[in-house]
Amino acid sequence: MHAEPLQHALKAACIRVEAALDRALPASDAAPGRLHEAMRYAALGPGKRVRPFLVHAAGALAGAPAETLDAPACALELIHAYSLVHDDLPAMDDDDLRRGRPTCHRAYDEATAILVGDALQTLAFQTLSTAPGLSAETRLGMIETLTRASGSLGMAGGQALDLAAVGQGLDLVGLEAMHRMKTGALIEASVRMGALAGGADEALHSRLKDYARAIGLAFQVRDDVLDVTGDSAVIGKTRGKDAAANKPTYVSLLGLDAAQSLALRLRDEAEAALEGLAGAETLRGLARYIVERQA
């Protein structure tokens, strides 16, 4: 898939998941109004929606009807939104801006932001448990996938390793392990949940897992490159923050050129995992987008 059709597909996925999020989130005038308003602020703000896009792309490849993918796509984005709210808190990364807007704890307050994260996380699993058009077995498989990807063996554990790495001499093996948990786990879960919705066989699950592992790491490597080369006005956050905080990155360990080369190799690995699969052009295009994006 070339850049323009992919951009159209990404835009369509954004519109679809934002409509699903709007339906899933409590109304801002329902009590407690301030919490619900802040939840909507955090979840409906600007974003690339890569994870729900992956749910739909993998699900379509596996033959799942689009309407059965809305709930898992929404659940993934709710977990991602919660993680960003907590990641921005003063005890974590202490950020004032997220995608050009005040972070949740700045727009509201710290206690509200903590509750927003808690409520978005639980809403994700409520959304999955009542997902229409899916068998109880499939819903249970999705819940197990998302809980594992979100917890101490996935995203939360990766965040703990990230915090512990500040000022430490983390090597490439340790850096990869951290990012496979912190960033890669939810990306892998997105692909797996889409495949589960379509009843994919083990061979397809295996190939999609290899694809997801490659793009999950490529996403982080590209982020580290953009942290050095990107325009802070585009991303809406301060560039170079990880370096300033003395956190290890792929650029600090490998150098800029080698980090860029690693991202390209990971893109090639992702595309190789899909070789010969009919209908995989959207996923191939996303692998290219991840390593070429400017924000």
Side-chain angles (χ1 to χ4, degrees), residues 1 6 8-21 23 48-77 127-128 132 134 142 186-200 204 208 211 215 278-284 286:
M1 179 175 283
L6 181 68
H8 287 313
L10 283 165
K11 180 64 175 176
C14 277
I15 293 170
R16 187 168 188 122
V17 75
E18 284 164 11
L21 287 167
R23 293 191 299 270
K48 294 183 283 293
R49 314 296 189 194
V50 168
R51 291 155 191 81
F53 179 80
L54 278 168
V55 174
H56 277 278
L61 181 63
E67 58 270 19
T68 66
L69 299 168
D70 287 332
C74 182
L76 256 300
E77 196 65 5
T127 300
L128 274 184
L134 298 172
M142 288 182 175
L186 277 189
I187 287 177
E188 289 184 42
S190 303
V191 172
R192 177 166 175 79
M193 288 165 68
L196 283 169
L204 182 54
L208 288 174
Y211 166 85
I215 65 165
E281 189 55 36
T282 298
L283 291 173
R284 291 189 191 96
L286 185 66

Side-chain angles (χ1 to χ4, degrees), residues 100-143:
R101 303 191 310 166
T103 49
C104 191
H105 69 279
R106 292 299 182 195
Y108 293 88
D109 56 73
E110 191 173 340
T112 298
I114 292 169
L115 292 173
V116 163
D118 294 343
L120 290 176
Q121 182 187 47
T122 54
L123 181 59
F125 295 104
Q126 178 185 339
T127 300
L128 274 184
S129 69
T130 58
L134 298 172
S135 68
E137 182 181 5
T138 299
R139 291 197 301 269
L140 186 59
M142 288 182 175
I143 290 169

Side-chain angles (χ1 to χ4, degrees), residues 23-291:
R23 293 191 299 270
L25 288 159
S28 57
D29 59 357
R34 182 175 172 82
L35 174 60
H36 291 155
E37 179 186 304
M39 289 169 66
R40 298 181 72 85
Y41 178 88
L44 294 173
K48 294 183 283 293
R49 314 296 189 194
V50 168
R51 291 155 191 81
F53 179 80
L54 278 168
V55 174
H56 277 278
L61 181 63
E67 58 270 19
T68 66
L69 299 168
D70 287 332
C74 182
L76 256 300
E77 196 65 5
L78 288 167
I79 291 290
H80 181 53
Y82 123 70
S83 75
L84 297 181
V85 170
H86 280 190
D87 194 43
D88 289 334
L89 288 167
M92 304 282 270
D93 279 359
D94 194 14
D95 275 313
D96 293 332
L97 289 175
R98 167 70 63 181
R99 297 168 182 149
R101 303 191 310 166
T103 49
C104 191
H105 69 279
R106 292 299 182 195
Y108 293 88
D109 56 73
E110 191 173 340
T112 298
I114 292 169
L115 292 173
V116 163
D118 294 343
L120 290 176
Q121 182 187 47
T122 54
L123 181 59
F125 295 104
Q126 178 185 339
T127 300
L128 274 184
S129 69
T130 58
L134 298 172
S135 68
E137 182 181 5
T138 299
R139 291 197 301 269
L140 186 59
M142 288 182 175
I143 290 169
E144 191 276 336
T145 296
L146 190 53
T147 51
R148 183 179 295 274
S150 305
S152 63
L153 298 178
M155 181 186 68
Q159 182 65 52
L161 293 175
D162 189 25
L163 292 171
V166 176
Q168 302 299 311
L170 203 62
D171 61 13
L172 278 172
V173 173
L175 188 66
E176 178 176 334
M178 176 185 76
H179 287 308
R180 286 204 181 279
M181 295 168 71
K182 183 182 175 185
T183 303
L186 277 189
I187 287 177
E188 289 184 42
S190 303
V191 172
R192 177 166 175 79
M193 288 165 68
L196 283 169
D201 60 23
E202 284 305 313
L204 182 54
H205 271 297
S206 179
R207 295 182 70 174
L208 288 174
K209 180 178 180 179
D210 290 344
Y211 166 85
R213 281 177 64 80
I215 65 165
L217 195 56
F219 199 97
Q220 183 59 51
V221 176
R222 184 60 180 166
D223 266 359
D224 286 355
V225 169
L226 288 172
D227 205 42
V228 175
T229 65
D231 181 354
S232 61
V234 173
I235 197 68
K237 292 187 74 174
T238 302
R239 284 297 186 191
K241 189 177 178 77
D242 282 350
N246 201 19
K247 286 185 177 182
T249 69
Y250 280 97
V251 174
S252 68
L253 292 181
L254 292 175
L256 182 59
D257 289 345
Q260 290 172 321
S261 295
L262 175 58
L264 293 174
R265 290 199 302 274
L266 289 165
R267 176 205 62 193
D268 292 344
E269 287 179 19
E271 293 197 67
L274 302 175
E275 187 173 355
L277 281 179
E281 189 55 36
T282 298
L283 291 173
R284 291 189 191 96
L286 185 66
R288 294 190 287 271
Y289 162 79
I290 283 171
V291 301

